[in-house]
Amino acid sequence: MNVGDEKGCILDSVVSEVNPTTVLELGTYCGYSTVRIANLLPPHAKLITLEFNPDFAAIARQVIAWSGLEEKVQLVEGASGDLIPKMKEDFGVKTFDLVFLDHWKDRYLPDTKLMEACGLLRKGSILLADNVICPGTPDYLEYVRSSPRYESQYFKSHLEYTKVEDGLEKSVFLG
């Protein structure tokens, strides 16, 4: 359930290219991708990562602490559908420069639409979605690839530590 080394390099490349100051990660798991992202952020940047499972969140908190990146990372426990509408009021976020989707695959599309409805995406915001082939997110892919609001690009890769095809979809929000 972590992004792994091969897709981690793609993640690193996108984070470096975007150079974001506000990042939302949906699905923390053990904190591997959280640390990869936070390590590449400029000093004033903030990463909010959401994790539904309290056991995973506890482990991720330790991993983030060991990495020394606690000042850049805010780990929040709860359901993305409940927390996304509170981002502006509770977390002081205007919009996100980068959103990394790596949580429940059936939540990719509803959470994307929720971020749009809540005004959390600005022209140029980047959505980077993991596991779009395996286990797959066909409704999300159909949406970002066919919507005039997005310009998308697929990065072919493999399911973590296997030869099974998977990949990431990078989608630029056009407004």
Side-chain angles (χ1 to χ4, degrees):
M1 288 189 349
N2 75 62
V3 74
D5 56 349
E6 185 183 6
K7 289 191 282 181
C9 290
I10 297 167
L11 174 63
D12 292 352
S13 175
V14 171
V15 172
S16 296
E17 172 194 329
V18 175
N19 195 29
T21 58
T22 55
V23 180
L24 176 62
E25 177 183 44
L26 300 175
T28 314
Y29 185 47
C30 65
Y32 178 79
S33 55
T34 309
V35 169
R36 285 190 85 122
I37 295 167
N39 192 50
L40 295 170
L41 297 178
H44 60 284
K46 188 69 171 175
L47 165 60
I48 298 171
T49 183
L50 308 183
E51 177 54 56
F52 181 76
N53 184 311
D55 295 329
F56 295 164
I59 293 166
R61 277 193 180 83
Q62 291 178 341
V63 170
I64 294 163
W66 290 329
S67 74
L69 294 165
E70 308 97 322
E71 289 184 20
K72 291 183 181 179
V73 177
Q74 184 171 3
L75 193 158
V76 184
E77 288 180 45
S80 55
D82 296 334
L83 294 168
I84 288 171
K86 300 177 181 179
M87 286 292 141
K88 289 187 178 196
E89 187 176 331
D90 292 358
F91 301 95
V93 173
K94 291 180 181 163
T95 59
F96 288 105
D97 299 325
L98 175 65
V99 178
F100 183 51
L101 297 94
D102 196 17
H103 59 326
W104 296 107
K105 307 318 166 207
D106 63 351
R107 292 295 314 166
Y108 282 26
L109 182 56
D111 285 347
T112 295
K113 290 181 176 181
L114 187 55
M115 287 184 287
E116 291 172 1
C118 292
L120 291 169
L121 303 178
R122 58 156 178 80
K123 185 175 182 175
S125 290
I126 305 290
L127 304 182
L128 184 64
D130 191 14
N131 305 118
V132 296
I133 302 301
C134 185
T137 56
D139 59 341
Y140 173 81
L141 284 181
E142 168 68 22
Y143 181 72
V144 296
R145 289 176 176 176
S146 65
S147 171
R149 301 182 82 184
Y150 291 94
E151 184 176 290
S152 291
Q153 176 183 6
Y154 175 66
F155 292 89
K156 182 178 177 180
S157 186
H158 298 92
L159 189 63
E160 291 72 29
Y161 315 111
T162 73
K163 295 186 185 300
V164 175
E165 183 181 339
D166 193 14
L168 295 111
E169 187 83 2
K170 175 187 170 189
S171 302
V172 180
F173 185 68
L174 304 175

